[in-house]
Amino acid sequence: MSRFVRSKLLVQKYGGSSVATPEHIRNVADRIIACQAEARHMVVAVSAMGKTTDQLIGMANQVSRHPAGREMDQLLACGETIAVSLLSLALQDRGVPAVSLTAAQCGIRTDGSFNKARIANVETGRLVHELESGRVVIVAGFQGVTSDHEVTTLGRGGGDITGAALAAALQAPVCEICTDVDGVYTADPNAVEGARMVPELSYEEAIELAASGAKVLHPRAAEICMQYDVPIHVRSTFHRRQGTWIRGGVMENAAVVGITSDKKIAKVTLLEVRDEPGLAAAIFRDLAREDVNVRLIIQAAPSHDRNRITFVTDNDQVDRIEELARTWRKKKIVGEVQVDLDVAKIAIVGSRIASTPGLAARMFTALAKVGVNIDCISTSEMKVSCVITRSDLDNAVRAVHGEFFGTARPAAPRATTPTRRPSTSRPARKVAAKPATTASKRRSAR
Ligand code: ADP
Ligand code: ASP
Ligand code: MG
């Protein structure tokens, strides 16, 4: 038995690309052993291997037209369960006592919202017991369990949330997010070659970057760590150099800390909306009831007692919107509903965006110089975002990144396999995101 001492605890999370193959898993086991030299206790959250979650979703789509809900979570959680068992086996094979735990075994309690559950609390009893017994605790990321013993998942990329929740519940001195890039960059380093790593970010900057498309960290993970005052260290799985620290008390970063992009959006335009009090309320109440995530709303000034309302949402929510559109048309609330999937969003993010004049103008000028037309604009305290045509996105990101951070060229391919020695290997290259199957369609919902 070794008494649990919080200050000697290291919580790490390894993402899917870090455990993509058995060779990757052996390397992660070696890395954990190397980290044990500095930490007495280790709790490690792990994602499903490589593209396992996508493959499971693909299979579900082959047997069901709308796979969702309980069975989907039951299925998707399996990916993480496989990964934790393998990592625990690899550690035991190296003579290191380790135990793998599912979310249910670990006590990660969530609400009952399948596919997007939120963590209510993490019971630390079993975790502390295992740590005091001298075991490395390997926890399945992304999973949760309800008070009725149902398995839930936290939403795509939710492994980060598990890592953060474990670190917060155990009051760990740090939550390490170990991934396939060296840290948080000024733009996706796999898309923009000139992107630079940012050594330090405030929680707010990290949340805004993550929420507007920087996939390297889940915004809810940063929110949890901000709430519980746990610093996050986003770093590479493949070497031990410092990455990006996210913590409180960061004084003055540049006004713009990063450029983000998001291809998984849809633009919805409601034409000929009756200009009457309460109709916008009814429309957005319907959207909220259907759990449609609305991210930007623009209403044009009315003409002939009719309004035009445009909003941006996630591209996987258009089926629900089209369903609602039918009822709105039937009730004569709107004339026509257009859904545009041929769009993408680009944003500049920083904590001093609102207080620094001229940033939006610089962004728009950079876009104009490369002939990119802006469809919609929205601004907030910490970001300026523009909806543009999807095929313009790569060009737009390079141009805007060049304006704020210097010249950038398309990224060159990188190695995908780690070497046996974590300290010398290169980060694996992320395969460029595939366009959504529904992309480049413009359609009118009838
Ligand atoms: P993991 O499997 O470790 O969870 P993810 O694929 O979820 O990793 O996130 C890492 C990826 O995030 C990187 O490979 C990179 O392409 C992408 N990314 C997007 N924006 C950024 C950014 N600003 N900084 C770093 N990586 C980013
Ligand atoms: N495996 C889950 C996903 O692919 C969770 C994660 O990787 O963080 O979304
Ligand atoms: Mg991730």
Side-chain angles (χ1 to χ4, degrees):
M1 283 300 265
S2 107
R3 197 172 54 85
F4 176 57
V5 182
R6 284 179 214 296
S7 61
K8 298 201 183 315
L9 168 68
L10 178 58
V11 175
Q12 294 184 324
K13 176 261 170 178
Y14 289 93
S17 43
S18 302
V19 292
T21 64
E23 187 196 353
H24 284 81
I25 290 178
R26 288 197 301 270
N27 278 292
V28 166
D30 289 340
R31 191 181 196 282
I32 290 170
I33 293 167
C35 294
Q36 269 192 316
E38 295 140 39
R40 183 192 297 177
H41 317 292
M42 287 192 67
V43 173
V44 180
V46 183
S47 291
M49 295 167 71
K51 298 280 171 209
T52 303
T53 309
D54 290 330
Q55 286 158 2
L56 293 172
I57 293 172
M59 281 196 270
N61 282 321
Q62 288 176 43
V63 298
S64 161
R65 272 167 300 165
H66 301 292
R70 178 188 184 279
E71 298 311 325
M72 204 53 188
D73 279 359
Q74 190 90 333
L75 172 71
L76 296 189
C78 296
E80 270 64 14
T81 306
I82 293 169
V84 287
S85 323
L86 288 172
L87 181 55
S88 187
L89 283 169
L91 282 164
Q92 289 172 6
D93 186 63
R94 283 154 174 71
V96 174
V99 60
S100 68
L101 298 177
T102 61
Q105 291 167 326
C106 177
I108 300 178
R109 305 262 162 230
T110 69
D111 62 19
S113 315
F114 294 114
N115 316 148
K116 51 176 181 358
R118 295 187 79 89
I119 296 178
N121 71 299
V122 178
E123 289 155 17
T124 53
R126 173 86 188 257
L127 283 166
V128 171
H129 170 75
E130 298 293 355
L131 292 172
E132 291 190 331
S133 306
R135 297 191 186 95
V136 176
V137 187
I138 315 288
V139 181
F142 179 55
Q143 308 179 351
V145 67
T146 67
S147 49
D148 299 332
H149 313 287
E150 296 288 10
V151 173
T152 55
T153 62
L154 308 176
R156 295 305 307 268
D160 295 340
I161 305 172
T162 307
L166 291 168
L170 293 164
Q171 294 166 30
V174 61
C175 173
E176 287 193 353
I177 301 289
C178 304
T179 186
D180 63 351
V181 288
D182 290 357
V184 183
Y185 280 68
T186 50
D188 183 345
N190 286 320
V192 180
E193 195 186 341
R196 298 182 217 143
M197 197 178 77
V198 187
E200 199 178 39
L201 287 167
S202 66
Y203 291 114
E204 292 83 357
E205 287 165 337
I207 291 167
E208 201 66 53
L209 281 171
S212 51
K215 187 181 167 228
V216 64
L217 182 67
H218 198 293
R220 276 163 59 196
E223 276 166 14
I224 291 171
C225 286
M226 177 164 84
Q227 198 180 335
Y228 287 85
D229 203 15
V230 177
I232 303 173
H233 189 186
V234 180
R235 64 190 311 186
S236 172
T237 296
F238 308 125
H239 59 70
R240 300 288 300 282
R241 289 193 295 277
Q242 293 280 304
T244 300
W245 281 92
I246 299 164
R247 54 186 156 209
V250 175
M251 293 283 257
E252 292 268 293
N253 260 336
V256 176
V257 290
I259 313 298
T260 58
S261 59
D262 190 353
K263 287 183 181 169
K264 295 182 178 167
I265 63 160
K267 186 184 77 171
V268 181
T269 309
L270 312 180
L271 297 168
E272 295 168 40
V273 184
R274 277 192 353 239
D275 187 26
E276 283 170 28
L279 281 194
I283 288 169
F284 287 97
R285 233 182 359 245
D286 285 350
L287 289 165
R289 200 177 336 102
E290 286 300 315
D291 246 343
V292 173
N293 206 358
V294 176
R295 309 214 228 141
L296 179 161
I297 305 171
I298 298 171
Q299 177 170 308
S303 81
H304 308 293
D305 293 337
R306 295 282 156 165
N307 285 320
R308 166 194 283 243
I309 299 178
T310 303
F311 62 88
V312 170
T313 180
D314 300 337
N315 65 1
D316 60 1
Q317 306 191 332
V318 294
D319 288 348
R320 269 175 277 171
I321 292 168
E322 286 176 343
E323 196 106 326
L324 286 174
R326 274 188 279 277
T327 46
W328 295 333
R329 281 170 52 84
K330 219 183 271 168
K331 291 185 190 163
K332 300 208 178 331
I333 294 176
V334 303
E336 198 189 333
V337 178
Q338 290 173 346
V339 178
D340 189 351
L341 291 154
D342 188 21
V343 288
K345 199 158 56 82
I346 173 169
I348 57 172
V349 174
S351 53
R352 290 189 289 124
I353 297 267
S355 60
T356 313
L359 298 177
R362 280 174 66 191
M363 178 186 189
F364 303 156
T365 307
L367 290 173
K369 274 191 193 152
V370 290
V372 173
N373 192 41
I374 302 171
D375 199 343
C376 310
I377 299 170
S378 82
T379 62
S380 68
E381 279 294 304
M382 289 189 62
K383 101 181 146 191
V384 179
S385 44
C386 300
V387 175
I388 59 175
T389 302
R390 204 165 191 271
S391 54
D392 284 340
L393 185 65
D394 294 346
N395 216 4
V397 172
R398 280 195 290 275
V400 176
H401 189 273
E403 169 62 27
F404 289 98
F405 301 103
T407 322
R409 297 184 304 280
R414 293 184 194 176
T416 51
T417 323
T419 63
R420 294 285 296 167
R421 297 195 37 181
S423 57
T424 53
S425 58
R426 303 259 308 159
R429 180 175 185 257
K430 201 75 191 160
V431 179
K434 282 199 214 94
T437 48
T438 43
S440 72
K441 279 193 221 154
R442 271 176 220 269
R443 58 200 203 197
S444 270
R446 273 171 237 291

